[in-house]
Amino acid sequence: MRILAAMSGGVDSAVAAARAVEAGHDVVGVHLALSRAGGTLRTGSRGCCTIEDALDARRAADLLGIPFYVWDFSERFRDDVIDDFIAEYRAGRTPNPCMRCNEKIKFAALLERAIELGFDAVCTGHYATLVDGPEGLELHRASDSAKDQSYVLGVLTAEQLAHTYFPLGTTPSKSVVRAEAEARGLSVAQKPDSHDICFIPDGDTRGWLAEKVGTATGEIVDRSGAVVGAHEGAHAFTVGQRRGLKLGVPADDGKPRFVLEVRPVTNTVVVGPKEALAIAEIAGARHSWAGAAPAEPAFRCHVQIRAHSDPVPALATVADDGVRVVPDAPLDGVAPGQTAVLYVGTRVLGQFTIDATVSAVPVDA
């Protein structure tokens, strides 16, 4: 195949490109410039897409003997990922920018251009596997459960899966990838993995949002509506947060309180006991299927609400207005804006953005 290898400058994408070359494919490397003013150097494992990353990707491509290009996707990244991130926080939701980047950039914008240029597939260093199922191509978890990235790929459609290539999916562990990179002479063999939000490399999400969204004082209330504190911007709070609340009125039982809800229209933050974070039902209108859609409107599955959380057995129901999921055991600390990915065994069935939640603990409990 003619393969376009997305090379971030990290060890995973470099080894993925190397395996594509070794498999006999016609490979071209590309690094995505996602910022018009990218930083020069990384700070440990924080951030990505710096000039240093681009140079690391180029060195890997040179060693592999493949053509290499840098494509400017900064405008598309700003519109589809950064602006979406800001808008979601303004609306009181908690977005996942990595999901949005996979959906809109790596497997939409990049894949579209690759197909236009005559490539058969885009190769990445994600840890996930593709399986030929009875109804077509299926997305499954990686062999290494510790590195499995199928959750953040849950936004991919059947058409996109048909043009993807994940050479690392069956690798037993990340240590094997690093050892292989070392053996191949790749300079990124021991490079730290990227963490946090790539466009907020210092990790100060609250400060970054304050600059973009601004500050506006508002009330912090308990579940009964009683005012227990004040804040300078509801966007700075996320469901499940405990620290930094600075409440002026202690709870009757003396126990810590957690953020239960953010109400952007009234600029109000609702807090309550930890047990009130338990969620009995989630629902969302924006959904997609990673392959064939479910045959029945109601079906058993597992639901996962964060990249590294444990999947929970559940009953899912699909209707005209979206997807509703009732887990067998309450989910913990779910926030609107998060992505719920549905699994059947190791297979990724699809995903939806959570719009609404139902607490497992009544307000008067």
Side-chain angles (χ1 to χ4, degrees):
M1 294 190 295
R2 287 198 72 213
I3 288 183
L4 186 68
M7 303 181 71
S8 66
V11 62
D12 291 330
S13 61
V15 171
R19 291 185 180 183
V21 172
E22 193 171 68
H25 300 298
D26 178 10
V27 182
V28 173
V30 63
H31 179 81
L32 302 185
L34 302 180
S35 172
R36 288 288 176 89
T40 302
L41 298 174
R42 288 160 52 97
T43 303
S45 61
R46 290 190 180 275
C48 64
C49 313
T50 63
I51 295 173
E52 177 189 352
D53 291 315
L55 292 175
D56 284 342
R58 180 177 292 278
R59 279 190 286 267
D62 288 345
L63 183 66
L64 298 176
I66 61 175
F68 177 81
Y69 301 91
V70 175
W71 287 355
D72 182 0
F73 275 31
S74 58
E75 187 172 337
R76 183 80 179 259
F77 185 77
R78 182 199 65 209
D79 293 344
D80 289 340
V81 180
I82 298 178
D83 288 353
D84 175 81
F85 183 81
I86 295 169
E88 286 291 279
Y89 265 100
R90 278 182 174 146
R93 295 188 288 265
T94 303
N96 185 324
C98 294
M99 299 286 288
R100 204 62 60 230
C101 184
N102 282 334
E103 178 187 16
K104 299 292 187 178
I105 306 299
K106 294 176 183 174
F107 296 98
L110 177 61
L111 184 55
E112 287 167 9
R113 184 177 293 185
I115 292 173
E116 287 174 359
L117 293 174
F119 288 94
D120 299 303
V122 166
C123 166
T124 73
H126 285 100
Y127 288 78
T129 56
L130 295 173
V131 175
D132 285 319
E135 297 182 70
L137 205 58
E138 299 175 351
L139 176 65
H140 284 252
R141 291 189 184 276
S143 297
D144 180 7
S145 59
K147 289 297 295 180
D148 174 56
Q149 292 175 301
S150 60
Y151 172 86
V152 296
L153 298 171
V155 291
L156 301 189
T157 65
E159 184 177 354
Q160 291 169 331
L161 289 175
H163 297 282
T164 58
Y165 184 48
F166 301 130
L168 305 188
T170 58
T171 306
S173 71
K174 179 63 175 275
S175 61
V176 171
V177 172
R178 291 198 181 280
E180 181 177 333
E182 197 83 57
R184 292 180 181 276
L186 293 165
S187 62
V188 293
Q190 299 305 321
K191 186 174 181 177
D193 293 337
S194 294
H195 298 295
D196 298 319
I197 301 171
C198 68
F199 51 87
I200 311 178
D202 64 0
D204 182 14
T205 303
R206 177 179 289 196
W208 188 89
L209 282 169
E211 290 182 6
K212 304 296 181 181
V213 179
T215 58
T217 57
E219 295 178 338
I220 300 177
V221 302
D222 63 19
R223 300 183 88 194
S224 70
V227 177
V228 295
H231 65 78
E232 296 183 353
H235 63 269
F237 297 85
T238 58
V239 171
Q241 179 179 334
R242 173 187 172 184
R243 299 184 182 278
L245 301 184
K246 300 179 181 178
L247 303 179
V249 180
D252 292 338
D253 58 8
K255 294 181 179 180
R257 283 178 288 199
F258 298 76
V259 175
L260 304 180
E261 186 182 354
V262 178
R263 298 172 179 169
V265 175
T266 59
N267 195 30
T268 304
V269 176
V270 182
V271 298
K274 181 176 176 60
E275 52 268 26
L277 288 170
I279 297 299
E281 183 179 323
I282 58 176
R286 294 170 290 174
H287 66 279
S288 64
W289 305 114
E296 301 294 334
F299 54 90
R300 296 289 303 174
C301 63
H302 280 73
V303 60
Q304 188 170 327
I305 59 169
R306 284 180 285 271
H308 301 294
S309 63
D310 292 329
V312 177
L315 175 66
T317 304
V318 183
D320 291 340
D321 59 350
V323 182
R324 180 171 66 93
V325 172
V326 178
D328 291 1
L331 302 171
D332 182 44
V334 185
Q338 286 179 302
T339 301
V341 176
L342 307 181
Y343 290 83
V344 174
T346 62
R347 180 192 169 191
V348 176
L349 193 62
Q351 62 81 39
F352 65 92
T353 301
I354 299 170
D355 296 325
T357 62
V358 176
S359 177
V361 179
V363 174
D364 56 356

